[in-house]
């Protein structure tokens, strides 16, 4: 049996750090996520949200520290860890020349599905992300909202136990935002979900817990109520508006 | 292997969903025709062989193969799909080999479409079809070597034009090291042993045998090494993202 079925602790991050040259983008982050949790990853632009998520999903090798997903170390057992993860990268990248169906089929195949199982997985993801009307359309002709949902469907195709969503509501209109938040909430009942955002109302709308990060460090975490109200004041007090300034200048 | 084929299938399909593939094939065939029949004086040679055809391939491929392969990784970087691909449960090697394979098959298709040249030679005379076969095999490996180098340059940048230029320059070096006018120049100051060593790195030296109908395991080993080394270097470049 896979270790992931034995315990509900799905993500365990310890002292995770990432440097780009002299710049410390992520500076010693530790937290855990259990199944049934939706963790909102909050922080101003450039605070290290995407970098952290890229280390969780195995895209960036960490400079220091470790990530375990379902008990598997992402660096030592990348394939086992990646199998458990569904990932929506920032900007919802997808192959522009493929049709929505072709793209989802490709993702399903890489997830080890074929034949009837593949067709079923694609149909389920299409239904869940409301993609029926654009199924045969090529991805470069999709509106931003549809492209986002196509990439989200890709992340859900294999019913992953861990979902990492980098700004899943970025660029969506209010209705689409609402739909995606509800979807995240629903998925969070059976999975471990981490999603990043800089929109504070999403914390209230979808999270069971929020982690606020600033300049690569966790500055606060807890349920939205624990963090205090109003949230935007808490957020402003804890973070500095522009984190694009190099570390050397700040010190 | 399953993952390699999934990746290769997608990559090959993406060649043919854009008009680029057809434009490429037409240009490829026009240029082969031009070099063979006009510049190569196919008819004037008065011999039933494809020497005029294969002799130009190292030069023809110098531009065409980088053009066919430049988007392989650069486009993944630009579109951000590299991140998607590398967070799938596949090894980087499967992705690298799958994409390489797809482009190689595409170039193989282009090469196969030159069959009218073979037909013409057979209609006009009685060429040695064994030699022609060896020529095609060598040409395929030549294309594979250039392509692997293009994979490497394409992995280094998100800009296809940069990838194209870098690979043309790299492939040009592989030609010139064994190109007669260049080796003749070197005779003045370099020892013959040195010139032979440099020439041993050249695609021309190793392509020659195939053109004469000789399939030498050392030539095969050379092309496979260039491919293997370039793809290995690609994996290192992709790992340091
Ligand atoms: N590949 C990279 N190379 C160099 N610097 C990077 C790279 N990726 C991110 N950074 C830097 O790391 C910091 C954190 O970026 P990021 O994780 O994208 O922030 P967020 O997602 O919270 O907006 C930024 O200052 C950014 O410029
Ligand atoms: Mg980000």
């Amino acid at each position: 049996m896979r270790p992931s079925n034995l315990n509900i602790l799905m993500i365990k991050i310890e002292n995770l750090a990432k440097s780009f040259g002299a710049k410390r983008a992520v500076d010693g982050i530790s937290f855990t996520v259990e199944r049934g949790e939706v963790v909102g990853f909050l922080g101003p632009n450039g605070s290290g949200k995407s970098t952290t998520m890229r280390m969780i999903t195995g895209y960036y090798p960490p400079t220091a520290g470790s990530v375990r997903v379902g008990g598997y170390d992402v660096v030592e057992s990348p394939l086992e860890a990646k199998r458990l993860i569904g990932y929506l990268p920032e900007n919802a990248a997808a192959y522009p020349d493929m049709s929505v169906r072709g793209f989802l089929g490709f993702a399903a195949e890489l997830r080890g599905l074929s034949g009837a199982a593949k067709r079923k997985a694609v149909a389920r993801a299409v239904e869940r992300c409301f993609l029926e009307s654009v199924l045969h359309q090529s991805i470069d002709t999709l509106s931003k909202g549809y492209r986002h949902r196509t990439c989200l469907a890709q992340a859900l195709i294999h019913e992953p136990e861990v979902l990492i969503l980098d700004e899943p509501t970025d660029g969506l209109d209010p209705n689409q935002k609402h739909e995606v938040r509800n979807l995240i909430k629903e998925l969070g009942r059976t999975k471990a979900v981490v999603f990043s955002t800089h929109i504070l109302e999403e914390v209230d709308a979808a999270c069971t817990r929020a982690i606020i990060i600033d300049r690569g460090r966790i500055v606060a975490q807890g349920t939205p109520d624990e963090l205090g109200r109003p949230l935007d004041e808490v957020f402003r007090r804890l973070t500095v508006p522009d984190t694009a300034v190099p570390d050397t200048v700040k010190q | 292997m399953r993952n390699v084929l999934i990746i290769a299938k997608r990559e090959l399909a993406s060649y043919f969903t854009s008009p680029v593939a057809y434009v490429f094939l037409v240009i490829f065939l026009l240029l082969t025709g031009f070099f063979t029949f006009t510049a190569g004086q196919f008819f004037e040679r008065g011999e039933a062989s494809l020497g005029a055809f294969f002799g130009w391939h190292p030069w023809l491929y110098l531009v065409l193969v980088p053009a066919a392969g430049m988007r392989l990784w650069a486009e993944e970087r630009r579109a951000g799909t590299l991140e998607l691909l590398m967070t799938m449960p596949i090894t980087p090697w499967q992705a690298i080999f799958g994409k390489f394979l797809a482009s190689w098959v595409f170039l193989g298709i282009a090469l196969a479409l030159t069959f009218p040249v073979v037909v013409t030679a057979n209609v006009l005379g009685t060429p040695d079809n064994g030699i022609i076969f060896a020529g095609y095999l060598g040409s395929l490996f030549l294309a594979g070597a250039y392509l692997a180098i293009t994979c490497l340059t394409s992995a280094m940048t998100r800009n296809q034009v940069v990838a194209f230029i870098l690979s043309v320059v790299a492939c040009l070096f592989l030609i010139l090291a064994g190109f007669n006018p260049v080796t003749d120049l070197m005779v003045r100051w370099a020892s013959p042993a040195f010139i032979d060593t440099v020439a041993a790195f050249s695609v021309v030296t190793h392509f020659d045998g195939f053109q004469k109908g000789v399939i030498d395991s050392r030539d095969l080993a050379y092309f496979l090494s260039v491919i293997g080394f370039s793809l290995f270097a690609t994996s290192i470049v992709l790992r340091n993202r």
Side-chain angles (χ1 to χ4, degrees):
Chain A
M1 198 189 251
R2 293 199 310 248
S4 57
N5 290 345
L6 295 171
N7 51 53
I8 53 166
L9 183 66
M10 292 308 295
I11 305 176
K12 186 169 164 63
I13 292 173
E14 285 180 303
N15 302 318
L16 194 63
K18 179 79 188 175
S19 303
F20 296 105
K23 177 160 182 69
R24 200 85 165 158
V26 174
D27 193 7
I29 282 184
S30 305
F31 66 91
T32 58
V33 185
E34 294 178 358
R35 188 185 312 232
E37 277 193 296
V38 178
V39 172
F41 213 42
L42 273 159
N45 281 326
S47 55
K49 303 182 295 292
S50 299
T51 306
T52 305
M53 292 183 142
R54 285 174 173 157
M55 288 192 278
I56 299 175
T57 54
Y59 183 61
Y60 283 160
T63 306
S66 70
V67 179
R68 285 184 166 271
V69 175
Y72 295 107
D73 188 291
V74 171
V75 175
E76 280 158 26
S77 324
L79 295 188
E80 287 81 357
K82 285 172 182 177
R83 265 182 211 117
L84 299 174
I85 302 175
Y87 179 37
L88 172 72
E90 198 172 23
N91 302 324
Y95 291 101
D97 56 337
M98 292 182 101
S99 71
V100 171
R101 195 167 71 169
F103 176 65
L104 295 179
F106 172 65
E109 284 177 15
L110 284 183
R111 296 296 186 174
L113 301 166
S114 59
K118 172 184 145 187
R119 278 195 299 277
K120 242 174 84 183
V122 171
R124 198 180 43 220
V126 163
E127 193 190 319
R128 207 175 227 173
C129 299
F130 311 103
L131 292 167
E132 285 89 353
S133 59
V134 294
L135 205 50
H136 302 284
Q137 210 167 314
S138 98
I139 287 173
D140 57 2
T141 65
L142 295 179
S143 67
K144 187 155 187 191
Y146 272 112
R147 191 162 58 95
H148 236 86
R149 277 185 275 165
T150 302
C151 199
L152 182 61
Q154 163 280 133
L156 300 175
I157 200 115
H158 56 301
E159 290 287 320
E161 297 185 56
V162 172
L163 267 178
I164 308 291
L165 310 172
D166 201 348
E167 303 199 5
T169 57
D170 179 47
L172 302 188
D173 68 36
N175 287 330
Q176 293 166 333
K177 278 194 170 123
H178 183 72
E179 276 166 21
V180 168
R181 275 176 217 157
N182 284 344
L183 181 61
I184 290 173
K185 240 200 290 199
E186 185 205 315
L187 292 165
R189 291 199 195 103
T190 53
K191 304 176 195 301
V193 183
V194 179
F195 79 92
S196 72
T197 181
H198 48 247
I199 304 168
L200 292 165
E201 52 197 91
E202 281 180 358
V203 178
D204 269 330
C207 301
T208 57
R209 182 153 60 98
I211 295 176
I212 301 183
I213 115 168
D214 180 47
R215 284 171 290 169
R217 292 214 174 106
I218 294 179
V219 288
Q221 61 176 314
T223 63
D225 289 326
E226 284 167 5
L227 288 174
R229 309 247 172 211
L231 265 178
D232 56 338
E233 230 161 69
V234 178
F235 185 79
R236 269 201 300 273
R237 200 179 63 235
L238 291 170
T239 62
V240 285
D242 187 60
T243 50
V245 190
D247 283 343
T248 44
V249 177
K250 275 179 229 152
Q251 282 155 9
Chain B
M1 196 59 201
R2 183 175 177 268
N3 288 338
V4 172
L5 292 180
I6 295 168
I7 304 236
K9 196 179 73 181
R10 194 209 70 76
E11 193 68 43
L12 192 59
S14 89
Y15 270 107
F16 288 101
T17 48
S18 74
V20 176
Y22 303 98
V23 171
F24 178 89
L25 289 177
V26 168
I27 291 178
F28 179 85
L29 294 175
L30 283 178
L31 283 181
T32 0
F34 171 76
F35 277 121
T36 307
F37 294 108
T38 311
Q41 303 182 313
F42 181 82
F43 295 113
E44 292 81 351
R45 284 181 175 216
E47 52 182 282
S49 88
L50 263 56
F53 173 66
F54 291 121
W56 288 103
H57 281 194
W59 295 100
L60 193 63
Y61 287 168
L62 184 59
V63 180
L64 289 176
V65 172
M70 63 188 182
R71 59 181 204 108
L72 277 177
W73 291 103
E75 180 59 18
E76 297 264 354
R77 272 192 198 279
R78 197 198 55 76
T81 44
L82 181 65
E83 190 170 349
L84 211 56
L85 197 60
M86 290 304 177
T87 51
M88 286 288 178
I90 58 171
T91 63
W93 186 244
Q94 289 169 339
I96 290 167
F97 192 61
K99 285 169 84 73
F100 170 77
L101 201 63
S103 301
W104 207 13
V105 167
F106 176 69
L107 292 172
I109 292 171
L111 190 58
L113 288 176
T114 60
F115 71 91
V117 179
V118 183
V119 174
T120 311
N122 272 288
V123 168
L124 296 179
T126 48
D128 184 335
N129 283 316
I131 295 183
I132 292 180
F133 173 78
Y136 268 104
L137 190 69
S139 181
L140 192 60
F141 274 103
L142 179 70
Y146 284 11
L147 182 63
I149 290 167
T150 309
C151 276
L152 173 58
T153 60
S154 174
M156 295 196 279
T157 170
R158 62 170 57 206
N159 186 328
Q160 295 193 26
V161 179
V162 173
F164 176 82
I165 293 169
L166 287 178
S167 46
V168 169
V169 169
C171 293
L172 188 60
F173 270 108
L174 285 189
I175 295 182
L176 292 182
F179 187 51
N180 280 338
V182 174
T183 48
D184 290 348
L185 272 180
M186 292 202 300
V187 170
R188 291 195 203 149
W189 52 271
S191 70
F194 177 78
I195 293 172
D196 281 350
T197 313
V198 172
F201 284 101
S202 170
V203 287
V204 178
T205 318
H206 294 278
F207 184 51
D208 264 354
F210 286 102
Q211 286 191 71
K212 294 185 188 111
V214 187
I215 301 174
D216 190 326
S217 58
R218 278 169 303 180
D219 294 335
L220 280 177
Y222 166 81
F223 284 116
L224 290 174
S225 319
V226 173
I227 293 172
F229 172 80
S230 300
L231 294 185
F232 176 70
T234 305
S235 77
I236 290 176
V237 170
L238 288 176
R239 199 184 309 143
N240 295 325
R241 47 190 167 253

